[in-house]
Amino acid sequence: MKRRINVFHYDFMNIKTFYRTCSLLLKFDNVPDFFSKIEIKKLKTISNNSFYLSHNIEYADELSALMYYVIEMIKGFFLFDSMLYNHTISLIESNLPLLQKAYQYIGIVDASISIASLKKGTQGCEPVISLKKELVLKNAYHPLVNNCIKNSITIKDSSIVITGSNMSGKTTFLKTIGINVILSQTINYSFCDYIENPYSNVFTSIVKEDNIEQGNSYFMDELLRANQIFKVLDSTSLPQIILFDEIFKGTNSKDRIALASALLLYLSKMNCIVIVTTHDLDIIDLVYEKYATYFFDNSLFDNILYFDYKIKHGIQSKTNVLELVKSLNFPPAIISDTIKLKQTVKLPIIK
């Protein structure tokens, strides 16, 4: 019972704040018709009652405390708080349509202020939305990455496969595309100099995890996401955007290469734009006729890895695993054995 009373206490305090917000909005022009002074006055009684029910008395001395307890005893005897509470609830129920409209309007105003502040404080543009199977981004960046390197890309008539060494920027680039396409269709703003994208859903398989409660493995999570994509592609004629990060890395190399290649070839026939990253160059050999290739590069200078985080056309065949483990001071025996074993390891032949 005490917990329920505390919940009502908190809600009544919010109603007081809600009324003050409505009163302030009345000072501006172009407010909705239902936001008239006559309608807002109906909220005043609710606000006053709510304030009384939620107000905590702070007394300065013993005499004030004694008077407070006497008044509370009288109120309790006549059930004053209970009657006031029921009266307030009745007022809320009778004015519920007005309250709902006002809450929605305040939410719109609050969201609009946030979007306006975002646009003022960042560099971006208004998008061009189309129904074409094309995606164009110029100098796009991720807003949550400090000093993010901007990248540009144009995808028309085909999807793309991105290769590159670890930490070179592949995943961040996928997230950059995803967030800019989503924001272009929600707040009409994107973090780039120019963006043209179709009106579409954005499907991602970037952050993948197992689920012990549902009994799903890491690989099963990837399969379930792919299955969701199939269902949507079969139910709409609009082009869709699909982002795969290191596709099917949750299974062995032979099955991964075969399944990923088959999936990408299937999607190439559908009305969608696929952007996939991978370390498996064998996948590119199997899908190169349908997918353009891009890569992120790195360089080594004085045993220090440098990344420019710029996307380039082509295929990245270099790796940086040895450089990374050396920089972390792995035991020399592991490093030397890695070099030897790397010469003997052969990828399975896909049949």
Side-chain angles (χ1 to χ4, degrees), residues 17-28 35 40 43:
T17 304
F18 170 67
Y19 169 71
R20 290 176 179 175
T21 304
C22 293
S23 300
L24 289 173
L25 288 175
L26 282 175
K27 298 180 181 180
F28 295 91
F35 234 65
I40 295 302
L43 299 178

Side-chain angles (χ1 to χ4, degrees), residues 7-18 50-51 54-56:
V7 171
F8 284 123
H9 177 273
Y10 177 77
D11 290 340
F12 282 140
M13 293 177 65
N14 285 340
I15 291 177
K16 184 68 177 180
T17 304
F18 170 67
S50 301
F51 176 76
S54 63
H55 187 56
N56 290 322

Side-chain angles (χ1 to χ4, degrees), residues 135-140 151-154 176-177 180 192 194-195:
L135 178 61
V136 181
L137 294 97
K138 295 182 180 179
N139 294 324
N151 275 291
S152 302
I153 195 166
T154 299
T176 298
I177 293 176
N180 278 293
C192 48
Y194 177 83
I195 181 172

